[in-house]
């Protein structure tokens, strides 16, 4: 059973460009979470999605950032007009169908975004 | 501010010794979870303890939770070099925005010397 798959593993963008990060949850998982991690820091929650629905985006900046989890295909975290401060590791996690409370989350290996 | 804060920030021990890491948090929680992260990798779930539980074991891991002190500890017994990693506690609590959120601390970097 494949784990959470994120791609690309590394992404380099110049300031002002767009970054698109992809996440395929584990098979049978319907909850997807995105986190950001700065060096030597813990993970910071960004957004929680179910298929075709954003459930909680309280951790995501209001501008330039958006996320989706379409009916078909992976979840996408999109960052428009990137700035140097967006450089970080972005992690996706998923949890099984059903009540997400008291469920562990399963993490991908992350996308390391570097802004030149 | 951080919900979960681990202590110590870094810990270096000899193989075979026990490692204890602590976590303190500020608000009420639904559960508390411990994760491990190897360098350059994602987080691996270790153990989940619910707010009405006081202690939980899994293999060489022992987790305690004291909700009156808002603190938890992770004990790794008979450590191995392969236990070298960063360890994070995460509190699961209602965000007020429609869901429960995991809030992570900054982690404890554990080094086990062979």
């Amino acid at each position: 059973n494949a784990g959470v798959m994120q791609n690309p593993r590394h992404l380099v963008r110049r300031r002002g460009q767009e970054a698109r990060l992809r996440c395929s949850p584990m098979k049978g998982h319907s909850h997807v979470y995105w986190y950001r991690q700065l060096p030597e820091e813990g993970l910071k929650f960004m957004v929680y999605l179910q298929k075709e629905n954003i459930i909680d985006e309280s951790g995501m900046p209001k501008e330039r950032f958006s996320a989706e989890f379409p009916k078909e295909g992976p979840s996408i975290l999109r960052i428009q007009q990137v700035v140097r401060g967006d450089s970080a590791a972005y992690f996706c996690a998923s949890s099984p169908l059903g009540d997400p409370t008291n469920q562990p989350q399963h993490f991908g290996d992350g996308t390391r975004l570097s802004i030149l | 501010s951080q919900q979960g804060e681990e202590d110590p920030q870094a810990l270096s021990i000899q193989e075979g010794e026990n490692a204890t890491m602590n976590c303190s948090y500020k608000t009420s929680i639904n559960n508390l979870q411990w994760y491990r992260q190897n360098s350059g990798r994602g987080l691996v779930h270790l153990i989940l303890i619910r707010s009405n539980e006081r202690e939980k074991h899994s293999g060489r891991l022992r987790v305690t939770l004291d909700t009156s002190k808002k603190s938890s500890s992770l004990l790794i017994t008979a450590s191995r070099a392969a236990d070298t990693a960063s360890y994070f506690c995460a509190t699961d609590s209602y965000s007020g925005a429609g869901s429960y959120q995991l809030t992570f601390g900054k982690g404890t970097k554990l080094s086990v010397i062979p």
Side-chain angles (χ1 to χ4, degrees):
Chain A
N1 191 10
V4 177
M5 304 300 292
Q6 288 188 251
N7 68 82
R9 287 295 310 277
H10 300 273
L11 182 60
V12 179
R13 284 287 177 266
R14 295 190 180 280
R15 280 177 295 171
Q17 291 184 322
E18 178 180 291
R20 290 171 71 90
L21 287 61
R22 293 175 187 76
C23 168
S24 296
M26 283 182 72
K27 189 176 180 181
H29 285 197
S30 62
H31 306 281
V32 166
Y33 311 82
W34 285 94
Y35 295 85
R36 178 163 63 179
Q37 186 180 33
L38 295 171
E40 308 301 320
E41 297 276 329
L43 274 67
K44 295 286 194 294
F45 169 82
M46 297 181 74
V47 62
Y48 161 39
L49 310 105
Q50 295 177 15
K51 284 281 185 185
E52 299 184 281
N53 278 310
I54 296 174
I55 306 301
D56 182 352
E57 56 183 348
S58 59
M60 199 157 66
K62 297 273 187 287
E63 296 181 357
R64 301 189 299 108
F65 285 73
S66 62
E68 62 176 6
F69 188 16
K71 189 175 179 181
E72 301 290 338
S75 175
I76 307 284
L77 178 67
R78 184 180 175 210
I79 311 173
Q80 294 178 290
Q81 299 174 324
V82 295
V83 300
R84 287 243 169 90
D86 296 333
S87 294
Y90 292 83
F91 289 93
C92 170
S94 69
S95 64
L97 186 69
D99 186 357
T101 58
N102 293 316
Q103 293 271 14
Q105 293 182 14
H106 300 261
F107 284 80
D109 280 339
T111 293
R112 271 120 192 109
L113 177 64
S114 299
I115 308 302
L116 302 179
Chain B
S1 62
Q2 292 289 121
Q3 164 71 322
E5 302 234 2
E6 292 90 344
D7 165 56
Q9 288 186 344
L11 180 61
S12 185
I13 58 173
Q14 294 290 134
E15 203 166 27
E17 293 181 335
N18 296 342
T20 300
M21 288 159 269
N22 302 297
C23 170
S24 60
Y25 58 92
K26 295 183 173 65
T27 64
S28 62
I29 61 172
N30 185 46
N31 64 61
L32 186 145
Q33 304 179 32
W34 285 90
Y35 288 81
R36 185 184 76 200
Q37 185 180 35
N38 288 82
S39 182
R41 303 297 300 273
L43 275 69
V44 174
H45 180 260
L46 294 176
I47 200 160
L48 181 154
I49 185 164
R50 300 188 186 207
S51 59
N52 61 353
E53 296 176 311
R54 292 296 165 258
E55 188 171 311
K56 210 161 182 182
H57 298 254
S58 177
R60 294 184 295 114
L61 306 180
R62 174 178 166 251
V63 167
T64 62
L65 178 64
D66 186 336
T67 52
S68 66
K69 294 180 179 176
K70 291 187 167 57
S71 67
S72 173
S73 68
L74 170 67
L75 168 69
I76 304 174
T77 59
S79 63
R80 304 167 182 167
D83 295 329
T84 295
S86 291
Y87 291 82
F88 295 90
C89 73
T91 51
D92 187 9
S93 52
Y94 187 64
S95 71
S99 74
Y100 284 85
Q101 282 183 17
L102 280 186
T103 304
F104 287 84
K106 290 186 178 183
T108 292
K109 196 171 278 190
L110 174 66
S111 299
V112 181
I113 303 162

